[in-house]
Amino acid sequence: MTEQLLGPAGLPYRPCAGVVLINADGLVFAGQRIDNPGHAWQMPQGGIDAGETPREAALRELVEETGVSPDLVEILAESPDWVTYDLPPELLGKVWKGRFGGQQQKWLALRFLGSEGDIRIETEHPEFDRWQWMRAEDLVASIVPFKRAVYEQVFRDFADLLS
């Protein structure tokens, strides 16, 4: 883990890992968040637990959010740098029990080797109510605005792996 950075609100960033799950057509898995009343599509991501590497966290989050087991993916790449985003003022103090001002993320690009039936978003603690394969640029347009720059950076990092 890299050093704990502080965001503009003086709160630390939450360490997080994300997954760019890519199918054979170069499209990316996107899930519609259950907890957002509007359209908020995103890739699997979540906090890095104590003692966990970003790679371990990414594979755990993949299982927890999509039901896809690690034997159904091939690790292609890891983002070269940590990317951060700040929570908008209206979410500060409300998300993550008010302990963090945003996230500091490492991303893994994974090739999906399974079939669509292997994707099961009806997990123990579901985060998505539906999912689809999307082009990277369509996903950037569909993410909540405060995460858009992160997605643009991640897709630049993995551009050679996408269609």
Side-chain angles (χ1 to χ4, degrees), residues 78-129:
E78 184 174 314
S79 59
D81 300 307
W82 290 85
V83 291
T84 60
Y85 72 81
D86 300 322
L87 286 173
E90 64 272 14
L91 294 180
L92 279 174
K94 297 178 182 161
V95 180
W96 307 306
K97 300 177 182 168
R99 297 185 341 206
F100 301 103
Q103 290 199 63
Q104 178 177 345
Q105 301 178 320
K106 263 291 187 177
W107 286 84
L108 260 68
L110 307 176
R111 174 79 58 213
F112 181 57
L113 305 174
S115 65
E116 299 218 352
D118 294 317
I119 298 174
R120 297 175 310 281
I121 60 171
E122 303 82 14
T123 60
E124 185 176 347
H125 303 286
E127 296 209 16
F128 305 127
D129 58 12

Side-chain angles (χ1 to χ4, degrees), residues 137-149:
E137 55 269 24
D138 294 334
L139 184 48
V140 167
S142 302
I143 185 70
V144 292
F146 63 91
K147 293 182 183 178
R148 193 160 288 143

